[in-house]
Amino acid sequence: MMYDIAIIGGGPGGYTAAEEAAARGRSVVLFERDLVGGTCLNRGCIPTKALLHDAMPDAPFAAMHARKKAVVDQLRDGIEKLLKKRKVTIVRGTATVVSPGVVTCGNETFEAHDIIIATGSVPAIIPVPGIDLPGVYSSSDLLEGEGLHVSSLVIVGGGVIGVEFATLYASLGARVTIVEATERILPPMDREISQRVTMHLKKRGIAVETSARVTAIEGEPGSMKVRYTDKRGNEKMAEAEGVLIACGRRANTQGLFAEGCEPELSRGALVCDESGRTSVGHLWAIGDVVAGNIQLAHVAEAQARNVVAVICSDTPLVSMKVVPSCVYTSPEVASVGITEAEAKAQGLDVRVGKALTGANGKCLIEESESGYVKLVADAATGAILGAQLVCPRATDLVSELALAISLGCTATQLSSVIHPHPTVSELISAAARTLAC
């Protein structure tokens, strides 16, 4: 069977590429060995947020997961219907690239002019004794089926996944401990965000251990022990019913290429140029499987649209220069552009403006936790270069700031836009006014 484009992986990048290519009149075959929607929809972004929405002490755990399943099923059904409408051929099974333009799946062989790799990522496993014991779980384990109902949990890793799961289980009344190897949680984000989130987590009763190196995991489900060395070199132990390993994710390329036809890899991830080209002609990659990529669903979707455009001899449709990041804690966290520390490291002269939630009417009405909106602007021109938010609806508000950065808006221009009252969005204009003065 011959197709214009073959896509391996049906996650956000894969199904977006399939829909985009089919809409352009290309014949498309999409390979997915599990469920269309990939990790994000089935055992990642969507189920996590659905559970966070319903989480509270004494919440019916089974009902929470039933609703999570209903949300996931509805979204996946919608994607499959759209692909069917676009006449995308969906092949269930594990696909392997056996030669340029040739993919096998089961006992069938498929040919395509272009192949797009969109296989995403899998949870990273750290080399610690006991990591494979029963009672040690990945994020997928906690999100699939009926989940894991425990009264205590040790989370190894204080990145986005670890912090969101800590928020979830603490909201359910569980005793939670985060053990993070670096000096602070959410290490890629602004230091002030890390400090503020740490404060909120501790107020919820979550223990946060940073600069902590895990040395061993012991026990059995219901009675697990995590041994670690703290920042002072002291040997410590955290006990819980279960252990979640949340140490990031790695590119999913195992078994993807037949021997002798592998493209250039870096630590198991595909090396690509800015357009998504690998070292092999007509072989492209998008999303988490790409070396050095930001592992976010919206990045994969944007790259999907761009790669398909390039394949179709068009110019890329989406700018990859400004990428917002979000953390669904309480309050929410979002960041876009550069931080003040990054600006200084680049030798840029910047000014910083901040508005606090304590002076915002809507935040006070909703009794939100303390937070802020912080803007980083060029000192000479006033152009907005970055923004960091810790406040209600931060994950929605950040889009306005991403647009402002993309368009080169100044703080004066941003402050001149009327924001409705009373809303959390007034924090943006308030922060901008401190820079426009």
Side-chain angles (χ1 to χ4, degrees), residues 76-124:
R76 186 171 58 244
D77 183 60
I79 293 168
E80 291 184 346
K81 284 181 178 177
L82 177 60
L83 294 176
K84 182 177 180 180
K85 180 181 178 181
R86 296 292 194 193
K87 295 181 171 52
V88 173
T89 300
I90 300 177
V91 177
R92 312 283 179 174
T94 300
T96 302
V97 179
V98 296
S99 62
V102 181
V103 176
T104 61
C105 185
N107 297 320
E108 295 186 89
T109 298
F110 303 80
E111 295 182 63
H113 187 267
D114 290 275
I115 298 173
I116 301 174
I117 305 299
T119 48
S121 60
V122 293

Short mmCIF file of all heavy atoms in Angstrom, two decimals, residues 76-124:
data_model
loop_
_atom_site.label_atom_id
_atom_site.label_comp_id
_atom_site.label_asym_id
_atom_site.label_seq_id
_atom_site.Cartn_x
_atom_site.Cartn_y
_atom_site.Cartn_z
N ARG A 76 -11.26 11.28 22.84
CA ARG A 76 -10.66 10.33 21.90
C ARG A 76 -11.64 9.98 20.79
O ARG A 76 -11.26 9.88 19.61
CB ARG A 76 -10.22 9.07 22.64
CG ARG A 76 -9.45 8.10 21.73
CD ARG A 76 -8.84 6.96 22.50
NE ARG A 76 -9.82 6.20 23.23
CZ ARG A 76 -9.89 6.09 24.55
NH1 ARG A 76 -9.00 6.71 25.32
NH2 ARG A 76 -10.83 5.37 25.13
N ASP A 77 -12.91 9.81 21.14
CA ASP A 77 -13.93 9.51 20.14
C ASP A 77 -14.03 10.64 19.12
O ASP A 77 -14.16 10.40 17.91
CB ASP A 77 -15.28 9.28 20.83
CG ASP A 77 -16.37 8.89 19.84
OD1 ASP A 77 -16.22 7.85 19.17
OD2 ASP A 77 -17.38 9.62 19.75
N GLY A 78 -13.92 11.88 19.61
CA GLY A 78 -13.98 13.03 18.70
C GLY A 78 -12.80 13.06 17.73
O GLY A 78 -12.97 13.36 16.55
N ILE A 79 -11.61 12.73 18.23
CA ILE A 79 -10.42 12.70 17.37
C ILE A 79 -10.56 11.62 16.31
O ILE A 79 -10.27 11.85 15.12
CB ILE A 79 -9.16 12.46 18.22
CG1 ILE A 79 -8.90 13.66 19.13
CG2 ILE A 79 -7.94 12.20 17.32
CD1 ILE A 79 -7.86 13.40 20.19
N GLU A 80 -10.99 10.44 16.72
CA GLU A 80 -11.12 9.33 15.76
C GLU A 80 -12.18 9.64 14.70
O GLU A 80 -12.00 9.29 13.53
CB GLU A 80 -11.44 8.05 16.51
CG GLU A 80 -10.27 7.56 17.37
CD GLU A 80 -10.57 6.23 18.05
OE1 GLU A 80 -11.74 5.82 18.08
OE2 GLU A 80 -9.60 5.60 18.54
N LYS A 81 -13.25 10.30 15.10
CA LYS A 81 -14.28 10.66 14.12
C LYS A 81 -13.74 11.67 13.11
O LYS A 81 -14.05 11.60 11.91
CB LYS A 81 -15.50 11.23 14.84
CG LYS A 81 -16.36 10.16 15.53
CD LYS A 81 -17.57 10.78 16.21
CE LYS A 81 -18.44 9.71 16.84
NZ LYS A 81 -19.61 10.28 17.57
N LEU A 82 -12.94 12.63 13.61
CA LEU A 82 -12.37 13.63 12.70
C LEU A 82 -11.40 12.97 11.73
O LEU A 82 -11.42 13.28 10.53
CB LEU A 82 -11.64 14.70 13.52
CG LEU A 82 -10.92 15.78 12.71
CD1 LEU A 82 -11.89 16.54 11.83
CD2 LEU A 82 -10.18 16.75 13.64
N LEU A 83 -10.57 12.05 12.21
CA LEU A 83 -9.63 11.37 11.33
C LEU A 83 -10.37 10.53 10.29
O LEU A 83 -9.97 10.46 9.12
CB LEU A 83 -8.68 10.49 12.15
CG LEU A 83 -7.72 11.24 13.08
CD1 LEU A 83 -6.91 10.25 13.90
CD2 LEU A 83 -6.79 12.17 12.30
N LYS A 84 -11.44 9.90 10.73
CA LYS A 84 -12.25 9.10 9.80
C LYS A 84 -12.88 10.01 8.74
O LYS A 84 -12.92 9.66 7.54
CB LYS A 84 -13.33 8.35 10.55
CG LYS A 84 -14.18 7.45 9.68
CD LYS A 84 -15.21 6.67 10.50
CE LYS A 84 -16.05 5.77 9.61
NZ LYS A 84 -17.07 5.01 10.42
N LYS A 85 -13.36 11.17 9.17
CA LYS A 85 -13.95 12.12 8.23
C LYS A 85 -12.93 12.58 7.20
O LYS A 85 -13.25 12.79 6.03
CB LYS A 85 -14.50 13.32 9.01
CG LYS A 85 -15.14 14.39 8.14
CD LYS A 85 -15.64 15.55 8.99
CE LYS A 85 -16.25 16.65 8.12
NZ LYS A 85 -16.72 17.81 8.94
N ARG A 86 -11.67 12.72 7.65
CA ARG A 86 -10.60 13.15 6.74
C ARG A 86 -10.05 11.99 5.91
O ARG A 86 -9.12 12.16 5.14
CB ARG A 86 -9.45 13.76 7.55
CG ARG A 86 -9.79 15.04 8.30
CD ARG A 86 -10.05 16.18 7.36
NE ARG A 86 -10.04 17.45 8.07
CZ ARG A 86 -10.48 18.59 7.56
NH1 ARG A 86 -10.96 18.61 6.32
NH2 ARG A 86 -10.45 19.71 8.27
N LYS A 87 -10.60 10.80 6.13
CA LYS A 87 -10.19 9.59 5.40
C LYS A 87 -8.74 9.18 5.70
O LYS A 87 -8.01 8.69 4.82
CB LYS A 87 -10.40 9.77 3.89
CG LYS A 87 -11.87 9.92 3.50
CD LYS A 87 -12.05 10.07 2.01
CE LYS A 87 -13.51 10.00 1.60
NZ LYS A 87 -14.41 10.92 2.34
N VAL A 88 -8.34 9.38 6.95
CA VAL A 88 -7.04 8.90 7.40
C VAL A 88 -7.15 7.42 7.72
O VAL A 88 -8.06 6.99 8.44
CB VAL A 88 -6.57 9.67 8.65
CG1 VAL A 88 -5.30 9.06 9.23
CG2 VAL A 88 -6.36 11.14 8.32
N THR A 89 -6.24 6.62 7.19
CA THR A 89 -6.21 5.19 7.50
C THR A 89 -5.49 4.99 8.83
O THR A 89 -4.35 5.40 8.98
CB THR A 89 -5.48 4.40 6.40
OG1 THR A 89 -6.16 4.59 5.16
CG2 THR A 89 -5.43 2.91 6.74
N ILE A 90 -6.18 4.37 9.80
CA ILE A 90 -5.58 4.11 11.11
C ILE A 90 -5.24 2.62 11.20
O ILE A 90 -6.11 1.76 11.01
CB ILE A 90 -6.52 4.51 12.25
CG1 ILE A 90 -6.84 6.01 12.19
CG2 ILE A 90 -5.90 4.16 13.61
CD1 ILE A 90 -7.83 6.48 13.24
N VAL A 91 -3.98 2.35 11.47
CA VAL A 91 -3.51 0.96 11.59
C VAL A 91 -3.09 0.73 13.04
O VAL A 91 -2.24 1.44 13.57
CB VAL A 91 -2.34 0.68 10.63
CG1 VAL A 91 -1.84 -0.75 10.82
CG2 VAL A 91 -2.76 0.92 9.19
N ARG A 92 -3.69 -0.27 13.67
CA ARG A 92 -3.37 -0.59 15.06
C ARG A 92 -2.21 -1.58 15.12
O ARG A 92 -2.26 -2.63 14.48
CB ARG A 92 -4.58 -1.21 15.76
CG ARG A 92 -5.88 -0.45 15.54
CD ARG A 92 -5.97 0.79 16.39
NE ARG A 92 -7.21 1.53 16.16
CZ ARG A 92 -7.62 2.58 16.85
NH1 ARG A 92 -6.85 3.04 17.82
NH2 ARG A 92 -8.75 3.19 16.56
N GLY A 93 -1.19 -1.22 15.86
CA GLY A 93 -0.05 -2.13 16.00
C GLY A 93 1.26 -1.36 16.09
O GLY A 93 1.30 -0.14 15.96
N THR A 94 2.33 -2.10 16.33
CA THR A 94 3.66 -1.51 16.44
C THR A 94 4.30 -1.40 15.06
O THR A 94 4.48 -2.42 14.37
CB THR A 94 4.55 -2.37 17.36
OG1 THR A 94 3.94 -2.43 18.67
CG2 THR A 94 5.94 -1.78 17.48
N ALA A 95 4.64 -0.18 14.69
CA ALA A 95 5.22 0.06 13.37
C ALA A 95 6.74 0.17 13.47
O ALA A 95 7.28 0.67 14.46
CB ALA A 95 4.64 1.33 12.77
N THR A 96 7.42 -0.29 12.42
CA THR A 96 8.87 -0.23 12.36
C THR A 96 9.29 0.31 11.00
O THR A 96 8.79 -0.14 9.96
CB THR A 96 9.50 -1.62 12.56
OG1 THR A 96 9.08 -2.14 13.82
CG2 THR A 96 11.03 -1.54 12.53
N VAL A 97 10.21 1.26 10.99
CA VAL A 97 10.77 1.76 9.74
C VAL A 97 11.88 0.80 9.33
O VAL A 97 12.89 0.66 10.03
CB VAL A 97 11.34 3.18 9.91
CG1 VAL A 97 11.94 3.68 8.60
CG2 VAL A 97 10.25 4.14 10.40
N VAL A 98 11.68 0.10 8.21
CA VAL A 98 12.63 -0.93 7.80
C VAL A 98 13.59 -0.46 6.71
O VAL A 98 14.65 -1.05 6.50
CB VAL A 98 11.89 -2.20 7.34
CG1 VAL A 98 11.13 -2.81 8.50
CG2 VAL A 98 10.96 -1.92 6.17
N SER A 99 13.21 0.61 6.03
CA SER A 99 14.07 1.22 5.01
C SER A 99 13.45 2.56 4.65
O SER A 99 12.31 2.83 5.02
CB SER A 99 14.20 0.32 3.77
OG SER A 99 12.94 0.13 3.16
N PRO A 100 14.16 3.43 3.95
CA PRO A 100 13.59 4.73 3.59
C PRO A 100 12.26 4.58 2.88
O PRO A 100 12.16 3.91 1.85
CB PRO A 100 14.66 5.34 2.68
CG PRO A 100 15.94 4.73 3.16
CD PRO A 100 15.58 3.32 3.54
N GLY A 101 11.23 5.17 3.44
CA GLY A 101 9.91 5.15 2.81
C GLY A 101 9.14 3.87 3.02
O GLY A 101 8.06 3.72 2.43
N VAL A 102 9.63 2.96 3.86
CA VAL A 102 8.95 1.68 4.05
C VAL A 102 8.74 1.41 5.54
O VAL A 102 9.67 1.47 6.34
CB VAL A 102 9.75 0.51 3.42
CG1 VAL A 102 9.00 -0.80 3.62
CG2 VAL A 102 9.98 0.78 1.94
N VAL A 103 7.50 1.08 5.89
CA VAL A 103 7.13 0.79 7.27
C VAL A 103 6.41 -0.55 7.31
O VAL A 103 5.55 -0.84 6.45
CB VAL A 103 6.18 1.89 7.83
CG1 VAL A 103 5.72 1.53 9.25
CG2 VAL A 103 6.86 3.24 7.81
N THR A 104 6.74 -1.35 8.29
CA THR A 104 6.02 -2.60 8.49
C THR A 104 5.24 -2.52 9.79
O THR A 104 5.66 -1.88 10.76
CB THR A 104 6.97 -3.81 8.55
OG1 THR A 104 7.87 -3.66 9.66
CG2 THR A 104 7.74 -3.96 7.26
N CYS A 105 4.10 -3.19 9.79
CA CYS A 105 3.26 -3.26 11.00
C CYS A 105 2.56 -4.61 10.95
O CYS A 105 1.76 -4.87 10.03
CB CYS A 105 2.26 -2.13 11.03
SG CYS A 105 1.30 -2.06 12.56
N GLY A 106 2.88 -5.49 11.91
CA GLY A 106 2.36 -6.85 11.83
C GLY A 106 2.96 -7.54 10.63
O GLY A 106 4.17 -7.54 10.42
N ASN A 107 2.11 -8.10 9.81
CA ASN A 107 2.57 -8.79 8.60
C ASN A 107 2.41 -7.96 7.34
O ASN A 107 2.57 -8.46 6.24
CB ASN A 107 1.80 -10.12 8.44
CG ASN A 107 2.07 -11.08 9.57
OD1 ASN A 107 3.20 -11.19 10.04
ND2 ASN A 107 1.03 -11.77 10.03
N GLU A 108 2.09 -6.69 7.52
CA GLU A 108 1.84 -5.83 6.37
C GLU A 108 3.00 -4.85 6.15
O GLU A 108 3.68 -4.46 7.09
CB GLU A 108 0.54 -5.04 6.54
CG GLU A 108 -0.72 -5.90 6.57
CD GLU A 108 -1.97 -5.04 6.61
OE1 GLU A 108 -2.49 -4.67 5.53
OE2 GLU A 108 -2.42 -4.72 7.73
N THR A 109 3.17 -4.45 4.89
CA THR A 109 4.18 -3.47 4.52
C THR A 109 3.51 -2.27 3.89
O THR A 109 2.60 -2.40 3.05
CB THR A 109 5.18 -4.09 3.53
OG1 THR A 109 5.84 -5.19 4.16
CG2 THR A 109 6.23 -3.06 3.11
N PHE A 110 3.97 -1.08 4.30
CA PHE A 110 3.38 0.16 3.81
C PHE A 110 4.50 1.04 3.26
O PHE A 110 5.59 1.11 3.83
CB PHE A 110 2.67 0.91 4.94
CG PHE A 110 1.59 0.13 5.62
CD1 PHE A 110 1.91 -0.82 6.60
CD2 PHE A 110 0.26 0.33 5.30
CE1 PHE A 110 0.92 -1.54 7.24
CE2 PHE A 110 -0.74 -0.39 5.93
CZ PHE A 110 -0.41 -1.33 6.91
N GLU A 111 4.22 1.70 2.15
CA GLU A 111 5.18 2.62 1.56
C GLU A 111 4.63 4.04 1.63
O GLU A 111 3.42 4.25 1.54
CB GLU A 111 5.47 2.25 0.11
CG GLU A 111 6.15 0.89 -0.06
CD GLU A 111 6.46 0.60 -1.51
OE1 GLU A 111 7.26 1.38 -2.10
OE2 GLU A 111 5.89 -0.36 -2.07
N ALA A 112 5.53 4.98 1.79
CA ALA A 112 5.12 6.39 1.86
C ALA A 112 6.25 7.27 1.36
O ALA A 112 7.43 6.96 1.55
CB ALA A 112 4.74 6.77 3.29
N HIS A 113 5.88 8.37 0.74
CA HIS A 113 6.89 9.31 0.27
C HIS A 113 7.60 9.97 1.44
O HIS A 113 8.82 10.17 1.41
CB HIS A 113 6.24 10.38 -0.62
CG HIS A 113 7.23 11.29 -1.27
ND1 HIS A 113 7.63 12.49 -0.71
CD2 HIS A 113 7.93 11.18 -2.44
CE1 HIS A 113 8.51 13.07 -1.50
NE2 HIS A 113 8.71 12.31 -2.56
N ASP A 114 6.83 10.29 2.50
CA ASP A 114 7.40 10.89 3.70
C ASP A 114 6.90 10.15 4.93
O ASP A 114 5.75 9.69 4.98
CB ASP A 114 6.99 12.37 3.82
CG ASP A 114 7.66 13.24 2.78
OD1 ASP A 114 8.79 13.68 3.03
OD2 ASP A 114 7.04 13.46 1.72
N ILE A 115 7.77 10.04 5.92
CA ILE A 115 7.42 9.39 7.19
C ILE A 115 7.65 10.39 8.31
O ILE A 115 8.70 11.03 8.39
CB ILE A 115 8.27 8.13 7.43
CG1 ILE A 115 8.02 7.10 6.34
CG2 ILE A 115 7.95 7.53 8.82
CD1 ILE A 115 8.95 5.90 6.43
N ILE A 116 6.66 10.53 9.19
CA ILE A 116 6.77 11.41 10.36
C ILE A 116 6.77 10.55 11.61
O ILE A 116 5.84 9.77 11.84
CB ILE A 116 5.60 12.42 10.42
CG1 ILE A 116 5.57 13.29 9.16
CG2 ILE A 116 5.71 13.28 11.67
CD1 ILE A 116 4.37 14.22 9.08
N ILE A 117 7.80 10.71 12.41
CA ILE A 117 7.89 9.99 13.69
C ILE A 117 7.29 10.86 14.78
O ILE A 117 7.73 11.99 15.01
CB ILE A 117 9.35 9.65 14.05
CG1 ILE A 117 10.01 8.87 12.89
CG2 ILE A 117 9.41 8.86 15.35
CD1 ILE A 117 9.36 7.55 12.58
N ALA A 118 6.28 10.33 15.46
CA ALA A 118 5.60 11.07 16.52
C ALA A 118 5.30 10.12 17.69
O ALA A 118 4.18 10.09 18.22
CB ALA A 118 4.30 11.69 15.99
N THR A 119 6.31 9.36 18.07
CA THR A 119 6.12 8.30 19.07
C THR A 119 6.21 8.80 20.51
O THR A 119 6.03 8.01 21.45
CB THR A 119 7.15 7.18 18.86
OG1 THR A 119 8.45 7.75 18.71
CG2 THR A 119 6.81 6.38 17.61
N GLY A 120 6.48 10.08 20.71
CA GLY A 120 6.42 10.65 22.04
C GLY A 120 7.51 10.17 22.98
O GLY A 120 8.64 9.88 22.57
N SER A 121 7.15 10.03 24.25
CA SER A 121 8.11 9.68 25.28
C SER A 121 7.50 8.70 26.27
O SER A 121 6.29 8.48 26.29
CB SER A 121 8.57 10.95 26.02
OG SER A 121 7.46 11.60 26.62
N VAL A 122 8.37 8.14 27.09
CA VAL A 122 7.95 7.21 28.14
C VAL A 122 8.61 7.67 29.44
O VAL A 122 9.61 8.39 29.43
CB VAL A 122 8.37 5.76 27.82
CG1 VAL A 122 7.61 5.24 26.61
CG2 VAL A 122 9.88 5.66 27.59
N PRO A 123 8.05 7.28 30.60
CA PRO A 123 8.66 7.70 31.87
C PRO A 123 10.11 7.27 31.98
O PRO A 123 10.48 6.14 31.65
CB PRO A 123 7.79 7.00 32.92
CG PRO A 123 6.47 6.82 32.25
CD PRO A 123 6.80 6.52 30.81
N ALA A 124 10.96 8.19 32.44
CA ALA A 124 12.37 7.87 32.66
C ALA A 124 12.51 7.09 33.97
O ALA A 124 11.79 7.33 34.94
CB ALA A 124 13.19 9.15 32.73
#
